[in-house]
Amino acid sequence: MKQIAIFASGTGSNAARIIDHFRHHAAVKVSLIVCNKPGAGVLSIAEKEQIPTLLLEKERFFRGDAYVEELRERKIDFLVLAGFLWKIPTNLVKAFNQRILNIHPALLPKYGGKGMYGHFVHEAVISAKETETGISIHYVDELYDHGQIVFQASFPVEATDTPESLAQKVHKLEHEHFPGIIEQVLSNLQNQR
Ligand code: GRF
């Protein structure tokens, strides 16, 4: 059984889809929700689903051990970032080399990097008069939104689109694809062993 930890700090709509997808899975289990924001929606989802949570302390995350030991003790094999805004510290990237996936609400390498999250991304896409946007699922390395891209899906930006309408369309695509891509990546990992 591969055990996943989902790192999320927002409403957790992607986390909810991922939990649902793997609910009765034979080889994958969502075992932990990691969050840096007390009161975040994702924590209520975890409570409802009876999944253990880990609330990160900033100081410890960045200057200490990045919770590597704690994740190891909990026998976590794979990390999924779904709306987690802190940069992943080097020791965590190294400990989970090629075992961390992130989802980004645009077509990387465009519209990524520090400060490029949520509505900032969609506003930038509209200001630049892009004709398409979409989602990117990628491995995490030490730079923001930079690791190897595993999957992208796009859709046209209409003249009538607003940052809000793009956010909605992006979320729909994320929910459609993220759980399945995680499953694929995990099954490739299994086959490599
Ligand atoms: C998603 O749009 C994702 O691309 C970004 O953060 C958002 C999280 O949304 N990294 P939710 O909390 O899963 O609804």
PDB file of all heavy atoms in Angstrom, residues 129-154:
ATOM      1  N   LYS A 129      -3.658  38.792 -22.650  1.00  0.00           N
ATOM      2  CA  LYS A 129      -4.499  38.418 -23.803  1.00  0.00           C
ATOM      3  C   LYS A 129      -4.137  37.038 -24.351  1.00  0.00           C
ATOM      4  O   LYS A 129      -4.074  36.827 -25.565  1.00  0.00           O
ATOM      5  CB  LYS A 129      -4.418  39.477 -24.909  1.00  0.00           C
ATOM      6  CG  LYS A 129      -4.845  40.871 -24.454  1.00  0.00           C
ATOM      7  CD  LYS A 129      -5.179  41.721 -25.648  1.00  0.00           C
ATOM      8  CE  LYS A 129      -5.538  43.151 -25.327  1.00  0.00           C
ATOM      9  NZ  LYS A 129      -6.051  43.463 -24.004  1.00  0.00           N
ATOM     10  N   GLU A 130      -3.883  36.128 -23.445  1.00  0.00           N
ATOM     11  CA  GLU A 130      -3.602  34.744 -23.864  1.00  0.00           C
ATOM     12  C   GLU A 130      -4.845  34.167 -24.541  1.00  0.00           C
ATOM     13  O   GLU A 130      -5.976  34.478 -24.150  1.00  0.00           O
ATOM     14  CB  GLU A 130      -3.256  33.875 -22.644  1.00  0.00           C
ATOM     15  CG  GLU A 130      -1.948  34.194 -21.979  1.00  0.00           C
ATOM     16  CD  GLU A 130      -0.725  33.775 -22.800  1.00  0.00           C
ATOM     17  OE1 GLU A 130      -0.884  33.109 -23.843  1.00  0.00           O
ATOM     18  OE2 GLU A 130       0.387  34.144 -22.392  1.00  0.00           O
ATOM     19  N   THR A 131      -4.628  33.310 -25.518  1.00  0.00           N
ATOM     20  CA  THR A 131      -5.784  32.692 -26.189  1.00  0.00           C
ATOM     21  C   THR A 131      -6.131  31.351 -25.548  1.00  0.00           C
ATOM     22  O   THR A 131      -7.177  30.781 -25.811  1.00  0.00           O
ATOM     23  CB  THR A 131      -5.505  32.474 -27.681  1.00  0.00           C
ATOM     24  OG1 THR A 131      -4.287  31.724 -27.780  1.00  0.00           O
ATOM     25  CG2 THR A 131      -5.376  33.798 -28.402  1.00  0.00           C
ATOM     26  N   GLU A 132      -5.204  30.831 -24.740  1.00  0.00           N
ATOM     27  CA  GLU A 132      -5.536  29.608 -23.993  1.00  0.00           C
ATOM     28  C   GLU A 132      -4.860  29.607 -22.624  1.00  0.00           C
ATOM     29  O   GLU A 132      -3.871  30.292 -22.398  1.00  0.00           O
ATOM     30  CB  GLU A 132      -5.141  28.350 -24.772  1.00  0.00           C
ATOM     31  CG  GLU A 132      -3.677  28.251 -25.081  1.00  0.00           C
ATOM     32  CD  GLU A 132      -3.260  26.872 -25.574  1.00  0.00           C
ATOM     33  OE1 GLU A 132      -4.127  26.065 -25.976  1.00  0.00           O
ATOM     34  OE2 GLU A 132      -2.055  26.598 -25.531  1.00  0.00           O
ATOM     35  N   THR A 133      -5.455  28.838 -21.729  1.00  0.00           N
ATOM     36  CA  THR A 133      -4.855  28.611 -20.418  1.00  0.00           C
ATOM     37  C   THR A 133      -5.181  27.175 -20.014  1.00  0.00           C
ATOM     38  O   THR A 133      -5.720  26.428 -20.831  1.00  0.00           O
ATOM     39  CB  THR A 133      -5.319  29.656 -19.373  1.00  0.00           C
ATOM     40  OG1 THR A 133      -4.539  29.485 -18.173  1.00  0.00           O
ATOM     41  CG2 THR A 133      -6.785  29.522 -19.025  1.00  0.00           C
ATOM     42  N   GLY A 134      -4.835  26.797 -18.792  1.00  0.00           N
ATOM     43  CA  GLY A 134      -5.100  25.408 -18.423  1.00  0.00           C
ATOM     44  C   GLY A 134      -4.474  25.036 -17.107  1.00  0.00           C
ATOM     45  O   GLY A 134      -4.343  25.882 -16.210  1.00  0.00           O
ATOM     46  N   ILE A 135      -4.083  23.776 -16.996  1.00  0.00           N
ATOM     47  CA  ILE A 135      -3.503  23.282 -15.743  1.00  0.00           C
ATOM     48  C   ILE A 135      -2.196  22.541 -16.039  1.00  0.00           C
ATOM     49  O   ILE A 135      -2.012  22.004 -17.133  1.00  0.00           O
ATOM     50  CB  ILE A 135      -4.472  22.311 -15.006  1.00  0.00           C
ATOM     51  CG1 ILE A 135      -4.745  21.042 -15.832  1.00  0.00           C
ATOM     52  CG2 ILE A 135      -5.771  23.010 -14.665  1.00  0.00           C
ATOM     53  CD1 ILE A 135      -5.435  19.928 -15.056  1.00  0.00           C
ATOM     54  N   SER A 136      -1.327  22.531 -15.049  1.00  0.00           N
ATOM     55  CA  SER A 136      -0.077  21.764 -15.158  1.00  0.00           C
ATOM     56  C   SER A 136       0.106  20.941 -13.897  1.00  0.00           C
ATOM     57  O   SER A 136      -0.075  21.454 -12.784  1.00  0.00           O
ATOM     58  CB  SER A 136       1.134  22.707 -15.271  1.00  0.00           C
ATOM     59  OG  SER A 136       0.985  23.587 -16.366  1.00  0.00           O
ATOM     60  N   ILE A 137       0.459  19.689 -14.089  1.00  0.00           N
ATOM     61  CA  ILE A 137       0.803  18.823 -12.952  1.00  0.00           C
ATOM     62  C   ILE A 137       2.282  18.490 -13.131  1.00  0.00           C
ATOM     63  O   ILE A 137       2.702  18.062 -14.212  1.00  0.00           O
ATOM     64  CB  ILE A 137      -0.077  17.553 -12.955  1.00  0.00           C
ATOM     65  CG1 ILE A 137      -1.546  17.959 -12.773  1.00  0.00           C
ATOM     66  CG2 ILE A 137       0.368  16.591 -11.850  1.00  0.00           C
ATOM     67  CD1 ILE A 137      -2.553  16.846 -12.961  1.00  0.00           C
ATOM     68  N   HIS A 138       3.065  18.758 -12.084  1.00  0.00           N
ATOM     69  CA  HIS A 138       4.515  18.610 -12.246  1.00  0.00           C
ATOM     70  C   HIS A 138       5.173  18.104 -10.969  1.00  0.00           C
ATOM     71  O   HIS A 138       4.629  18.267  -9.866  1.00  0.00           O
ATOM     72  CB  HIS A 138       5.136  19.956 -12.658  1.00  0.00           C
ATOM     73  CG  HIS A 138       5.006  21.031 -11.614  1.00  0.00           C
ATOM     74  ND1 HIS A 138       5.996  21.317 -10.710  1.00  0.00           N
ATOM     75  CD2 HIS A 138       3.990  21.873 -11.319  1.00  0.00           C
ATOM     76  CE1 HIS A 138       5.587  22.287  -9.915  1.00  0.00           C
ATOM     77  NE2 HIS A 138       4.376  22.647 -10.256  1.00  0.00           N
ATOM     78  N   TYR A 139       6.350  17.489 -11.145  1.00  0.00           N
ATOM     79  CA  TYR A 139       7.151  17.120  -9.983  1.00  0.00           C
ATOM     80  C   TYR A 139       7.664  18.392  -9.325  1.00  0.00           C
ATOM     81  O   TYR A 139       7.835  19.416  -9.994  1.00  0.00           O
ATOM     82  CB  TYR A 139       8.348  16.268 -10.409  1.00  0.00           C
ATOM     83  CG  TYR A 139       7.979  14.856 -10.759  1.00  0.00           C
ATOM     84  CD1 TYR A 139       8.020  14.402 -12.076  1.00  0.00           C
ATOM     85  CD2 TYR A 139       7.599  13.953  -9.767  1.00  0.00           C
ATOM     86  CE1 TYR A 139       7.676  13.094 -12.398  1.00  0.00           C
ATOM     87  CE2 TYR A 139       7.261  12.644 -10.076  1.00  0.00           C
ATOM     88  CZ  TYR A 139       7.303  12.220 -11.384  1.00  0.00           C
ATOM     89  OH  TYR A 139       6.963  10.931 -11.684  1.00  0.00           O
ATOM     90  N   VAL A 140       7.925  18.293  -8.041  1.00  0.00           N
ATOM     91  CA  VAL A 140       8.389  19.460  -7.297  1.00  0.00           C
ATOM     92  C   VAL A 140       9.902  19.384  -7.097  1.00  0.00           C
ATOM     93  O   VAL A 140      10.414  18.342  -6.679  1.00  0.00           O
ATOM     94  CB  VAL A 140       7.665  19.531  -5.930  1.00  0.00           C
ATOM     95  CG1 VAL A 140       8.265  20.608  -5.032  1.00  0.00           C
ATOM     96  CG2 VAL A 140       6.180  19.800  -6.160  1.00  0.00           C
ATOM     97  N   ASP A 141      10.574  20.491  -7.450  1.00  0.00           N
ATOM     98  CA  ASP A 141      11.989  20.601  -7.100  1.00  0.00           C
ATOM     99  C   ASP A 141      12.160  21.818  -6.188  1.00  0.00           C
ATOM    100  O   ASP A 141      11.168  22.303  -5.630  1.00  0.00           O
ATOM    101  CB  ASP A 141      12.873  20.637  -8.357  1.00  0.00           C
ATOM    102  CG  ASP A 141      12.623  21.866  -9.218  1.00  0.00           C
ATOM    103  OD1 ASP A 141      11.932  22.795  -8.754  1.00  0.00           O
ATOM    104  OD2 ASP A 141      13.127  21.895 -10.354  1.00  0.00           O
ATOM    105  N   GLU A 142      13.406  22.313  -6.077  1.00  0.00           N
ATOM    106  CA  GLU A 142      13.618  23.366  -5.079  1.00  0.00           C
ATOM    107  C   GLU A 142      13.138  24.743  -5.520  1.00  0.00           C
ATOM    108  O   GLU A 142      13.203  25.689  -4.756  1.00  0.00           O
ATOM    109  CB  GLU A 142      15.107  23.423  -4.692  1.00  0.00           C
ATOM    110  CG  GLU A 142      15.449  22.314  -3.730  1.00  0.00           C
ATOM    111  CD  GLU A 142      16.657  21.515  -4.160  1.00  0.00           C
ATOM    112  OE1 GLU A 142      16.788  21.242  -5.371  1.00  0.00           O
ATOM    113  OE2 GLU A 142      17.453  21.176  -3.277  1.00  0.00           O
ATOM    114  N   LEU A 143      12.700  24.890  -6.754  1.00  0.00           N
ATOM    115  CA  LEU A 143      12.222  26.185  -7.225  1.00  0.00           C
ATOM    116  C   LEU A 143      10.700  26.154  -7.362  1.00  0.00           C
ATOM    117  O   LEU A 143      10.121  25.099  -7.594  1.00  0.00           O
ATOM    118  CB  LEU A 143      12.842  26.506  -8.591  1.00  0.00           C
ATOM    119  CG  LEU A 143      14.373  26.498  -8.640  1.00  0.00           C
ATOM    120  CD1 LEU A 143      14.851  26.686 -10.073  1.00  0.00           C
ATOM    121  CD2 LEU A 143      14.948  27.594  -7.755  1.00  0.00           C
ATOM    122  N   TYR A 144      10.104  27.329  -7.255  1.00  0.00           N
ATOM    123  CA  TYR A 144       8.645  27.421  -7.389  1.00  0.00           C
ATOM    124  C   TYR A 144       8.191  26.986  -8.788  1.00  0.00           C
ATOM    125  O   TYR A 144       8.694  27.498  -9.795  1.00  0.00           O
ATOM    126  CB  TYR A 144       8.206  28.881  -7.225  1.00  0.00           C
ATOM    127  CG  TYR A 144       7.842  29.292  -5.824  1.00  0.00           C
ATOM    128  CD1 TYR A 144       8.561  30.284  -5.167  1.00  0.00           C
ATOM    129  CD2 TYR A 144       6.765  28.726  -5.164  1.00  0.00           C
ATOM    130  CE1 TYR A 144       8.215  30.712  -3.888  1.00  0.00           C
ATOM    131  CE2 TYR A 144       6.413  29.135  -3.886  1.00  0.00           C
ATOM    132  CZ  TYR A 144       7.144  30.120  -3.264  1.00  0.00           C
ATOM    133  OH  TYR A 144       6.795  30.521  -2.001  1.00  0.00           O
ATOM    134  N   ASP A 145       7.250  26.095  -8.858  1.00  0.00           N
ATOM    135  CA  ASP A 145       6.576  25.729 -10.120  1.00  0.00           C
ATOM    136  C   ASP A 145       7.552  25.362 -11.238  1.00  0.00           C
ATOM    137  O   ASP A 145       7.374  25.749 -12.399  1.00  0.00           O
ATOM    138  CB  ASP A 145       5.691  26.903 -10.608  1.00  0.00           C
ATOM    139  CG  ASP A 145       4.683  27.313  -9.552  1.00  0.00           C
ATOM    140  OD1 ASP A 145       4.170  26.433  -8.845  1.00  0.00           O
ATOM    141  OD2 ASP A 145       4.428  28.519  -9.435  1.00  0.00           O
ATOM    142  N   HIS A 146       8.585  24.614 -10.892  1.00  0.00           N
ATOM    143  CA  HIS A 146       9.693  24.440 -11.818  1.00  0.00           C
ATOM    144  C   HIS A 146       9.962  23.000 -12.254  1.00  0.00           C
ATOM    145  O   HIS A 146      10.460  22.755 -13.356  1.00  0.00           O
ATOM    146  CB  HIS A 146      10.956  25.039 -11.162  1.00  0.00           C
ATOM    147  CG  HIS A 146      12.172  24.950 -11.998  1.00  0.00           C
ATOM    148  ND1 HIS A 146      13.094  23.926 -11.854  1.00  0.00           N
ATOM    149  CD2 HIS A 146      12.611  25.727 -13.004  1.00  0.00           C
ATOM    150  CE1 HIS A 146      14.068  24.099 -12.734  1.00  0.00           C
ATOM    151  NE2 HIS A 146      13.796  25.179 -13.436  1.00  0.00           N
ATOM    152  N   GLY A 147       9.625  22.012 -11.429  1.00  0.00           N
ATOM    153  CA  GLY A 147       9.997  20.625 -11.733  1.00  0.00           C
ATOM    154  C   GLY A 147       9.366  20.096 -13.017  1.00  0.00           C
ATOM    155  O   GLY A 147       8.486  20.731 -13.608  1.00  0.00           O
ATOM    156  N   GLN A 148       9.819  18.929 -13.406  1.00  0.00           N
ATOM    157  CA  GLN A 148       9.387  18.284 -14.660  1.00  0.00           C
ATOM    158  C   GLN A 148       7.851  18.178 -14.757  1.00  0.00           C
ATOM    159  O   GLN A 148       7.193  17.711 -13.833  1.00  0.00           O
ATOM    160  CB  GLN A 148      10.000  16.880 -14.696  1.00  0.00           C
ATOM    161  CG  GLN A 148       9.730  16.108 -15.955  1.00  0.00           C
ATOM    162  CD  GLN A 148       9.917  14.606 -15.713  1.00  0.00           C
ATOM    163  OE1 GLN A 148      10.635  14.187 -14.816  1.00  0.00           O
ATOM    164  NE2 GLN A 148       9.244  13.801 -16.500  1.00  0.00           N
ATOM    165  N   ILE A 149       7.337  18.598 -15.909  1.00  0.00           N
ATOM    166  CA  ILE A 149       5.882  18.572 -16.107  1.00  0.00           C
ATOM    167  C   ILE A 149       5.445  17.165 -16.502  1.00  0.00           C
ATOM    168  O   ILE A 149       6.033  16.538 -17.383  1.00  0.00           O
ATOM    169  CB  ILE A 149       5.467  19.600 -17.182  1.00  0.00           C
ATOM    170  CG1 ILE A 149       5.742  21.016 -16.660  1.00  0.00           C
ATOM    171  CG2 ILE A 149       3.988  19.446 -17.552  1.00  0.00           C
ATOM    172  CD1 ILE A 149       5.617  22.108 -17.674  1.00  0.00           C
ATOM    173  N   VAL A 150       4.421  16.687 -15.831  1.00  0.00           N
ATOM    174  CA  VAL A 150       3.917  15.337 -16.070  1.00  0.00           C
ATOM    175  C   VAL A 150       2.685  15.379 -16.976  1.00  0.00           C
ATOM    176  O   VAL A 150       2.456  14.491 -17.788  1.00  0.00           O
ATOM    177  CB  VAL A 150       3.507  14.694 -14.718  1.00  0.00           C
ATOM    178  CG1 VAL A 150       2.921  13.318 -14.899  1.00  0.00           C
ATOM    179  CG2 VAL A 150       4.674  14.652 -13.752  1.00  0.00           C
ATOM    180  N   PHE A 151       1.894  16.426 -16.816  1.00  0.00           N
ATOM    181  CA  PHE A 151       0.624  16.487 -17.550  1.00  0.00           C
ATOM    182  C   PHE A 151       0.150  17.929 -17.663  1.00  0.00           C
ATOM    183  O   PHE A 151       0.295  18.711 -16.719  1.00  0.00           O
ATOM    184  CB  PHE A 151      -0.435  15.671 -16.780  1.00  0.00           C
ATOM    185  CG  PHE A 151      -1.814  15.774 -17.353  1.00  0.00           C
ATOM    186  CD1 PHE A 151      -2.222  14.925 -18.377  1.00  0.00           C
ATOM    187  CD2 PHE A 151      -2.719  16.718 -16.883  1.00  0.00           C
ATOM    188  CE1 PHE A 151      -3.504  15.026 -18.917  1.00  0.00           C
ATOM    189  CE2 PHE A 151      -4.009  16.823 -17.418  1.00  0.00           C
ATOM    190  CZ  PHE A 151      -4.394  15.967 -18.440  1.00  0.00           C
ATOM    191  N   GLN A 152      -0.405  18.261 -18.833  1.00  0.00           N
ATOM    192  CA  GLN A 152      -1.065  19.565 -18.979  1.00  0.00           C
ATOM    193  C   GLN A 152      -2.378  19.383 -19.736  1.00  0.00           C
ATOM    194  O   GLN A 152      -2.491  18.480 -20.576  1.00  0.00           O
ATOM    195  CB  GLN A 152      -0.179  20.545 -19.762  1.00  0.00           C
ATOM    196  CG  GLN A 152       1.039  20.969 -18.955  1.00  0.00           C
ATOM    197  CD  GLN A 152       1.876  22.038 -19.628  1.00  0.00           C
ATOM    198  OE1 GLN A 152       2.273  21.855 -20.767  1.00  0.00           O
ATOM    199  NE2 GLN A 152       2.143  23.129 -18.912  1.00  0.00           N
ATOM    200  N   ALA A 153      -3.343  20.213 -19.444  1.00  0.00           N
ATOM    201  CA  ALA A 153      -4.580  20.244 -20.218  1.00  0.00           C
ATOM    202  C   ALA A 153      -4.949  21.707 -20.385  1.00  0.00           C
ATOM    203  O   ALA A 153      -4.701  22.519 -19.484  1.00  0.00           O
ATOM    204  CB  ALA A 153      -5.704  19.503 -19.492  1.00  0.00           C
ATOM    205  N   SER A 154      -5.491  22.056 -21.556  1.00  0.00           N
ATOM    206  CA  SER A 154      -5.756  23.476 -21.815  1.00  0.00           C
ATOM    207  C   SER A 154      -7.179  23.695 -22.325  1.00  0.00           C
ATOM    208  O   SER A 154      -7.858  22.743 -22.706  1.00  0.00           O
ATOM    209  CB  SER A 154      -4.749  23.990 -22.844  1.00  0.00           C
ATOM    210  OG  SER A 154      -4.917  23.277 -24.050  1.00  0.00           O
TER     211      SER A 154
END
